[in-house]
Amino acid sequence: MEMSALWKLSYGMYAIGTLDGERPTGCIVNTVIQITSDNPVIAISMNKNNYTYDCIKRTGRFSVSILSEKTTQNVIAKLGFSSGRDTDKFDGDIFAWEYMDGLPVVNENSCAHITAEVITMTEMETHYVILARVQDAKVTSDYNPMTYKYYHEVIKGKAPKNAPTYQAPEKITDKETWACQICGYIYEGDLTKEPEDFVCPICKQPKSMFKKQ
Ligand SMILES: Cc1cc2nc3c(=O)[nH]c(=O)nc-3n(C[C@H](O)[C@H](O)[C@H](O)COP(=O)(O)O)c2cc1C
């Protein structure tokens, strides 16, 4: 089987918002699709280990913020590379957000917001496919939605192992390389020469999170 055939599938970039009791939380996914048009149903693919999955299971609700090409990397770094289990992702002023129908939505140059109520969840080995009825939807800008391809090719972003479309990094160079243990970003050259306050350009983790390849 040619696995690379699957890499030709197209995706977008989305922030999922939900609640942990009264605390807003959520994560990044690239897997949101519209299933039906009349009284619309959408589906997301959510890793069983994501804390967002636990919270959606408890509340039965989530929001989708459709990210645009102008959405800053901070949103993806904060929501996509740390866990709501031990981080207050919506705390502080790292990115703009608000509540819509009681659920957190990202305002940082997003294209649209959707809120949805879970209908059913289908279990796969690593992920649940969550089908949900759209409750409300609002266009927030006319910016271009960020595609997964744009995230990889223009922003040079990575996806962690919990993303269903994760690909292990290929060997890209004969130079010395260091890999960020959080997001997989590959630094080429001698990382020890960087200053002590160097952080990963993708997930903002410190130098100590890098391992020599
Ligand atoms: C570009 C990108 C795409 C991702 N796509 C998905 C996805 O479709 N499904 C999923 O379960 N996790 C996906 N993730 C991973 C979660 O966002 C990540 O595991 C997050 O840290 C989970 O946080 P939580 O534990 O607070 O839920 C993606 C992450 C990135 C950066």
Side-chain angles (χ1 to χ4, degrees):
M1 179 162 67
E2 264 191 277
M3 283 301 283
S4 55
L6 300 182
W7 304 346
K8 306 283 182 197
L9 290 167
S10 306
Y11 304 92
M13 287 288 290
Y14 312 97
I16 300 298
T18 186
L19 293 172
D20 177 20
E22 294 196 347
R23 188 175 69 106
T25 193
C27 72
I28 296 294
V29 301
N30 59 283
T31 49
V32 179
I33 54 168
Q34 183 173 351
I35 304 294
T36 64
S37 64
D38 195 17
N39 199 6
V41 170
I42 56 172
I44 63 175
S45 172
M46 184 60 69
N47 193 288
K48 292 175 185 180
N49 295 326
N50 285 352
Y51 192 59
T52 306
Y53 162 69
D54 295 348
C55 297
I56 292 177
K57 196 164 87 174
R58 280 201 296 270
T59 60
R61 298 183 68 216
F62 63 89
S63 67
V64 178
S65 300
I66 303 176
L67 305 183
S68 82
E69 290 176 358
K70 289 189 186 293
T71 302
T72 56
Q73 181 58 33
N74 284 347
V75 175
I76 299 166
K78 187 77 179 174
L79 295 177
F81 292 101
S82 62
S83 180
R85 256 183 215 98
D86 45 39
T87 323
D88 271 334
K89 296 187 181 184
F90 287 80
D91 212 19
D93 52 8
I94 289 183
F95 58 84
W97 65 277
E98 64 180 345
Y99 282 107
M100 174 174 169
D101 298 341
L103 294 166
V105 286
V106 172
N107 267 340
E108 197 82 22
N109 296 328
S110 55
C111 299
H113 297 151
I114 298 167
T115 55
E117 190 169 55
V118 175
I119 302 168
T120 186
M121 302 198 193
T122 300
E123 188 173 7
M124 299 290 125
E125 289 84 350
T126 51
H127 287 70
Y128 273 93
V129 178
I130 304 177
L131 287 155
R133 181 81 60 195
V134 172
Q135 294 184 302
D136 201 1
K138 188 167 78 179
V139 173
T140 52
S141 79
D142 57 4
Y143 297 141
N144 283 339
M146 190 192 293
T147 62
Y148 196 52
K149 187 178 165 72
Y150 182 94
Y151 172 68
H152 280 286
E153 292 183 0
V154 180
I155 299 189
K156 306 282 181 212
K158 308 283 172 197
K161 286 193 177 153
N162 284 2
T165 48
Y166 170 78
Q167 294 162 24
E170 288 167 15
K171 187 167 187 280
I172 48 167
T173 171
D174 286 329
K175 284 191 203 156
E176 174 178 329
T177 56
W178 296 70
C180 173
Q181 297 305 292
I182 302 298
C183 72
Y185 172 77
I186 302 289
Y187 175 95
E188 277 186 44
D190 184 359
L191 185 71
T192 59
K193 294 203 172 124
E194 291 289 348
E196 279 320 301
D197 59 359
F198 171 89
V199 291
C200 173
I202 303 296
C203 68
K204 317 290 179 209
Q205 293 294 315
K207 201 172 158 179
S208 57
M209 293 309 294
F210 280 76
K211 263 198 189 150
K212 195 173 174 181
Q213 300 288 283

